[in-house]
Structures are given as structure tokens and as C-alpha cells.
Amino acid sequence: QVRPVQSGAEVKRPGASVKVSCKASGINFNDYYIHWMRQAPGQGLEWMGYIRPNSGGTNLEQKFRGRVTMTRDTSSSTVFMELSRLGSDDTAVYFCARDGYNLGRPFFDYWGQGTLVTVSS
Amino acid sequence: DIQMTQSPSSVSAVVGDRVTITCRASQDISSWLAWYQQKPGKAPNLLMYTASSLQSGVPSRFSGSGSGTDFTLTISSLQPEDFATYFCQQAHSPPYTFGQGTKVEIK
């Protein structure tokens, strides 16, 4: 199936960090913005920020600045999202998604399958 | 931040029904709005973008309308595979916020 492929579920202790990967599979990543969202159990979607793989430029939602790092490996068409100083309220499914229209306003046409991050002591 | 408010939060319907979901933005977002469908345990799926443009591969029973602050997603004749949760998302300015979702349930 043509979609980004994300890394597997993680269980982390409070205060730890987690790094989630998102690899292009059958779709072009390098010419598009790749965004990250998360969804806490039973909740709606929360936008976290984006990375432009061809330049490495990022834009993060203010509440995540200082705690989230987004990077990329162009050779493998993979982007990464690292979240540090985890707390229980970071327990969520994390999604990467491509902004497929490059209109300067994002509409997400391809989504990864999601990565469940559980923070528990 | 732009707040997105959907109504209703849930709707019960039968196959063949016409279903309408509303999304209201806390400020003018022009036509910078998307609609997504999400099924349990799955990623969202883009249905509509720029408020009224149908994403490739999405059935024509889905349609979107509105501009400014008030938007509507309509399913003209509900099919069994349409029972899911629907979200709106504003693409006007960051942070790109989503509505809280509308669950379409079997009546």
C-alpha cells in the first residue's frame, strides 16, 4: 500500500524521550512538507509541527518548542520526530502526514499508520 | 489559535440517509478547510480540501460547502462503510487545529 510507514509502538518512563520515524513508501517526500499530529486516547487530533525534508527546515507549534525535534534523512526518505521529557499526558498515537498540495496551507493526503507511545511508570 | 467547533458530536443514521455535519471556525478562514474520515484504529483519510474540492478517489456522495466561518460536510446517501468519525481541520494559519469530531453511528 502506498503510504508513509512509521516505527512501532513504544513504552517509555516519565522523563524519558521517544523518537518516532516515518519513511516514505511509494510516495514522494522530499518535495513536500511532512507534518506530525498526535491523538490522545479517545480524543481529537493535535498538530505538532512540520519539517521540509529537502531543506530540513521546521516549524513547531509553540507548546512543543524546546521539547520536540524534527529531523530527516534524505538518503532513506525518512523523517523523525523526537519528543523529550515525556509525561503521562504525552500518551497518544503519533501520526506523520504529507501536505500533498503545496498551497502554502496544509491538506494531508497521505498519513502514516500511527505510532502508539505510552508513558507509564 | 483558531478554534474549530463541530456539530453535532454524534449522529445516528441508517443506510440511505442524508447526513450533514457542521464546522464553525472562531475567525474567518476563507476556504482553507479540510474534512477527514477516521475509522477506529486507523489514520484519518482526506475527503475534502479547500472546503469543497473532492479528494481523488473519494465517492461523489461526499460534498463540502461554506466559506468564512461556517462549513458543511454532506453525505448524500449514507453507505455502510461511511460509519466513522469525521473531523474538520483549518489550514488558514498555524497551529492547524481540528474540530473535536462527529461520530456517525448506526441507528
Side-chain angles (χ1 to χ4, degrees):
Chain A
Q1 188 176 4
V2 175
R3 72 179 309 158
V5 178
Q6 297 183 221
S7 49
E10 302 261 14
V11 179
K12 296 291 182 181
R13 301 291 191 197
S17 298
V18 68
K19 191 171 185 177
V20 181
S21 66
C22 170
K23 180 177 173 61
S25 177
I27 61 171
N28 181 352
F29 253 21
N30 288 337
D31 295 333
Y32 297 88
Y33 292 89
I34 305 301
H35 294 243
W36 289 89
M37 274 68 68
R38 71 179 185 179
Q39 189 170 35
Q43 302 300 309
L45 291 150
E46 180 177 30
W47 179 77
M48 300 178 69
Y50 66 72
I51 184 168
R52 179 85 172 182
N54 60 4
S55 68
T58 63
N59 184 12
L60 301 178
E61 155 66 339
Q62 179 133 14
K63 70 177 282 188
F64 294 110
R65 292 176 192 170
R67 218 161 60 93
V68 167
T69 305
M70 293 183 185
T71 55
R72 93 290 194 203
D73 177 359
T74 54
S75 65
S76 63
S77 297
T78 303
V79 299
F80 303 90
M81 187 284 299
E82 183 169 20
L83 180 61
S84 63
R85 304 195 300 279
L86 290 167
S88 57
D89 56 352
D90 292 316
T91 293
V93 177
Y94 289 76
F95 293 102
C96 63
R98 187 184 83 164
D99 168 15
Y101 285 92
N102 278 338
L103 298 173
R105 317 290 177 110
F107 298 109
F108 308 120
D109 62 345
Y110 285 103
W111 293 66
Q113 81 277 17
T115 296
L116 175 61
V117 175
T118 303
V119 183
S120 174
S121 56
Chain B
D1 298 1
I2 298 173
Q3 306 303 315
M4 306 300 293
T5 304
Q6 286 182 236
S7 62
S9 56
S10 66
V11 56
S12 295
V14 300
V15 171
D17 277 356
R18 182 182 182 88
V19 173
T20 299
I21 299 168
T22 297
C23 181
R24 174 164 288 176
S26 61
Q27 64 187 72
D28 188 340
I29 60 169
S30 185
S31 295
W32 299 113
L33 184 101
W35 289 99
Y36 299 87
Q37 177 193 70
Q38 187 178 33
K39 296 183 178 178
K42 301 293 186 182
N45 181 47
L46 179 64
L47 300 175
M48 312 291 304
Y49 63 99
T50 59
S52 59
S53 299
L54 189 69
Q55 172 68 359
S56 176
V58 174
S60 58
R61 63 180 178 273
F62 291 92
S63 63
S65 64
S67 66
T69 60
D70 293 308
F71 301 86
T72 298
L73 174 72
T74 299
I75 309 171
S76 60
S77 178
L78 198 66
Q79 298 301 300
E81 60 268 30
D82 300 337
F83 291 97
T85 299
Y86 294 84
F87 295 94
C88 59
Q89 171 237 327
Q90 64 86 10
H92 180 271
S93 55
Y96 302 109
T97 44
F98 292 79
Q100 80 280 13
T102 295
K103 188 173 184 179
V104 177
E105 300 175 298
I106 300 172
K107 192 170 186 179

